[in-house]
Amino acid sequence: MATALRTWSGLISALLNGSDLTMADTSWAMDQVVLGDVSPSQIAGFLIALRAKGETAAELLGLASVLRSHATPVRIEGPFVDIVGTGGDRTGAINISTMAAVVAASTGVTVVKHGGRAASSSAGGSADLVEQLGVPLDLSASDAARMAGSVGLAYLFAPRFNTALRHVAVVRRELAVPTAFNVLAPLLNPANPQHQLVGVANPHMLPVLAQALCQQGKTALVARGDDGLDKLTTTTFSRLWLVADGTARETVFDPRGLGLRPCTLPDLRGGDAATNARTLRALVNGTAPAAVRDVVLLNAAAALTTLDLQTDNFLDQLAPCLDRCRAALDSGRTAETLGRWTSFAA
């Protein structure tokens, strides 16, 4: 779109006509939002029109680039991984990503998870579970880095580090439907992880987000269960995009190939933050249902593969990572990691 047409009416009209915007267009739009030069109705119209057309990788990267430029950076030493989902899958499942983060961290891999409260669902987000566990959400950048170094696991509360998100918080809450900002979350971690496991609820956004991560130079798995779960699932097949070395390719994953027991979505259903916290404590204490244990172990193992992802050899990588996560859980190391995390003092 030409610069002369970079007005809110021009952008929204282009989207309603089915035209893709450039990265520069969406960067301009996000700049206007951050500067406060736009009304809530204009933001809502833009987000709905963008979702109705279908976001592209360039459009997401334009929005993300501006938000990242306004974020408080968190500097973490050495390689680390993020485990994040877009949310909005409406399955009511337990908070798999946070539970998998605890397991993955207990294997000796540093995990720096970025997340927030649910904006378009009655279910709680990762922040609600983390808060229920007693982990502080108001960490400074230096305290978050210290948490990552001493515990091997840090949680970065999105509104604390991405303060520009406050400009769209009310609109997102009132719309109460997934928008581009749900999909943007994996692109906004202020620690800038190079390795990510990303769950995506909207099947149409799998290749789009994979391409965006590819253009950012990340190594990542982008996953969605065929049951609708925005994670790798154990109830059926999962669709995966493998992102590494500047390429992204699609594959299908069958959990039965790893000997994981089949289950149903009701077996993975969670509840409020207190319920999910009890489930996590049961997991680390060895009393969680097998279905919960398996799906958390699978996603933790998938996160570990992103540290050295071989796109032509993924399944061979996944099996030993699964054994590694299972050993950490069964040995009590996961319980120890959870204890250190919940008792961390800023």
Side-chain angles (χ1 to χ4, degrees):
M1 174 174 294
T3 302
L5 295 180
R6 271 190 204 134
T7 62
W8 285 102
S9 60
L11 293 179
I12 294 172
S13 294
L15 292 171
L16 292 175
N17 288 330
S19 299
D20 294 333
L21 303 182
T22 66
M23 184 173 172
D25 290 330
T26 52
S27 292
W28 176 89
M30 196 67 246
D31 265 328
Q32 299 303 300
V33 170
V34 171
L35 292 171
D37 293 338
V38 57
S39 68
S41 60
Q42 287 172 314
I43 297 173
F46 176 75
L47 292 176
I48 292 299
L50 189 60
R51 172 48 55 101
K53 177 192 72 68
E55 299 91 339
T56 66
E59 289 165 344
L60 294 180
L61 289 171
L63 297 172
S65 66
V66 173
L67 289 169
R68 285 282 304 279
S69 72
H70 288 273
T72 301
V74 180
R75 294 178 175 83
I76 308 293
E77 297 296 328
F80 58 93
V81 65
D82 182 17
I83 305 174
V84 61
T86 61
D89 64 11
R90 308 292 184 179
T91 64
I94 56 171
N95 199 299
I96 295 169
S97 63
T98 304
M99 297 182 187
V102 179
V103 174
S106 71
T107 69
V109 169
T110 300
V111 180
V112 181
K113 179 168 170 50
H114 177 240
R117 305 188 192 280
S120 56
S121 169
S122 59
S126 58
D128 301 286
L129 172 56
V130 170
E131 186 176 53
Q132 181 70 34
L133 292 168
V135 178
L137 296 180
D138 59 349
L139 295 175
S140 66
S142 60
D143 284 334
R146 189 163 61 85
M147 176 186 276
S150 64
V151 180
L153 173 62
Y155 185 83
L156 307 181
F157 184 42
R160 172 68 179 81
F161 296 94
N162 291 290
T163 56
L165 289 170
R166 72 183 185 275
H167 296 286
V168 296
V170 173
V171 171
R172 292 182 67 198
R173 186 163 56 248
E174 292 182 349
L175 285 175
V177 295
T179 68
F181 284 91
N182 295 82
V183 186
L184 277 178
L187 307 177
L188 299 180
N189 189 321
N192 192 26
Q194 294 302 300
H195 311 278
Q196 291 181 270
L197 170 62
V198 177
V200 181
N202 183 341
H204 301 295
M205 295 308 297
L206 276 166
V208 176
L209 197 46
Q211 187 58 42
L213 290 163
C214 186
Q215 290 183 34
Q216 285 188 324
K218 303 298 180 72
T219 301
L221 291 177
V222 184
R224 180 185 185 273
D226 283 356
D227 55 4
L229 196 68
D230 69 331
K231 302 291 183 298
L232 280 165
T233 188
T234 49
T235 76
T236 183
F237 296 95
S238 294
R239 309 290 160 168
L240 280 175
W241 279 83
L242 312 175
V243 180
D245 300 322
T247 65
R249 73 177 186 86
E250 187 179 18
T251 190
V252 177
F253 170 73
D254 182 352
R256 294 173 299 180
L258 291 175
L260 295 174
R261 292 156 287 196
C263 66
T264 65
L265 270 179
D267 295 327
L268 304 179
R269 197 149 290 149
D272 59 15
T275 299
N276 291 338
R278 286 194 295 271
T279 300
L280 174 54
R281 295 190 187 281
L283 173 72
V284 304
N285 291 328
T287 59
V292 170
R293 172 184 166 92
D294 284 351
V295 76
V296 172
L297 285 172
L298 173 60
N299 282 274
L304 297 191
T305 69
T306 66
L307 291 168
D308 184 29
L309 185 62
Q310 308 295 319
T311 58
D312 294 327
N313 201 32
F314 169 67
L315 288 179
D316 290 339
Q317 285 185 288
L318 187 58
C321 287
L322 183 62
D323 290 340
R324 183 176 168 187
C325 291
R326 188 180 289 120
L329 184 60
D330 292 343
S331 68
R333 294 199 304 275
T334 304
E336 293 171 1
T337 296
L338 180 61
R340 291 198 308 273
W341 194 37
T342 56
S343 61
F344 179 86

